[in-house]
Amino acid sequence: MLYNYTTNRLELKILGEEDAALTAKFFLKNQKHFQAWEMEYSPEYYTEEYQRRTLAAEFVQYLHSHAVRYYFFLSGEDLPIGTAAFSHIERSPLACCRLGYRLDKDFVGCGYMTEALRFLIPKIFFFYQLHRMEANILPENIRSLHLLERLGFTPEGIVRGFAPIGGKYRDHLRYSLLEGEVFL
């Protein structure tokens, strides 16, 4: 996997510790926007120091082929507008990973996430020699459900009590994409 890619409108980058100020701004700006869909984070999460440690840990995960996160930038811009993480990467025989993503509140509905994931997903399948990719979405997150359907993911059912959202463990819908279903 390369560190940087370019699509029609985006630059997709793996960031390092030196980019902690950018990621802290991104998460702080979108704190309330992401809150409806994610676990609760401590105030420290939104600091540059916490993000520096996170980026350092993510880079180690990348080097060991356990996870990779790309941040999206509009071409020529300095602040990220989104991120896609491919985590829990397991090589053969399971050959699977989990997909998670976030998009800046000001850029929702513009097709940026679709563009980024259409580009990245085939590369992740190829590079990590995956058979399966999963995503778990809250049932009321209609935009995410439509995104996964546009990308060819198939609904599989309910994952009961998957993650604590809003202070309680919530059921999620599980979607999957198999290697033979990847769009090219």
Side-chain angles (χ1 to χ4, degrees):
M1 293 292 307
L2 298 177
Y3 292 161
N4 299 313
Y5 292 105
T6 302
T7 66
N8 289 338
R9 302 179 293 168
L10 300 170
E11 294 175 27
L12 313 171
K13 302 176 183 181
I14 297 173
L15 299 183
E17 294 178 60
E18 66 279 4
D19 300 305
L22 300 178
T23 61
K25 283 181 188 178
F26 170 74
F27 290 117
L28 187 59
K29 175 186 178 194
N30 290 285
Q31 181 177 4
K32 287 189 170 127
H33 174 59
F34 296 151
Q35 210 165 35
W37 317 116
E38 296 186 353
M39 296 180 284
E40 189 174 324
Y41 296 105
S42 72
E44 181 190 20
Y45 179 83
Y46 302 96
T47 66
E48 192 172 324
E49 177 54 27
Y50 188 94
Q51 290 301 314
R52 185 192 65 70
R53 291 192 314 267
T54 297
L55 289 167
E58 286 180 350
F59 193 71
V60 171
Q61 292 279 306
Y62 167 71
L63 291 176
H64 292 283
S65 296
H66 296 302
V68 60
R69 178 186 306 275
Y70 281 90
Y71 284 86
F72 318 152
F73 296 78
L74 291 176
S75 294
E77 296 295 324
D78 295 331
L79 291 175
I81 65 162
T83 178
F86 302 89
S87 63
H88 300 88
I89 296 172
E90 296 185 41
R91 298 287 184 116
S92 184
L94 291 180
C96 65
C97 79
R98 189 176 299 155
L99 168 65
Y101 45 84
R102 298 166 168 148
L103 188 64
D104 185 302
K105 62 184 174 60
D106 296 332
F107 297 93
V108 170
C110 300
Y112 293 116
M113 187 59 69
T114 302
E115 181 176 330
L117 291 177
R118 278 197 190 282
F119 184 85
L120 288 171
I121 287 172
K123 291 189 176 346
I124 297 295
F125 267 95
F126 177 78
F127 184 80
Y128 293 104
Q129 299 176 13
L130 298 180
H131 169 69
R132 173 185 174 85
M133 185 176 291
E134 299 175 354
N136 298 302
I137 308 295
L138 285 168
E140 65 270 23
N141 192 343
I142 302 302
R143 283 190 181 274
S144 270
L145 297 175
H146 288 296
L147 170 67
L148 292 177
E149 289 166 4
R150 273 194 310 277
L151 296 172
F153 280 73
T154 300
E156 293 188 327
I158 296 173
V159 183
R160 298 180 323 132
F162 179 71
I165 310 291
K168 64 180 183 176
Y169 280 88
R170 302 277 313 277
D171 294 349
H172 284 60
L173 299 177
R174 173 162 290 163
Y175 278 71
S176 68
L177 184 69
L178 301 180
E179 72 180 307
E181 302 165 341
V182 176
F183 40 85
L184 298 175

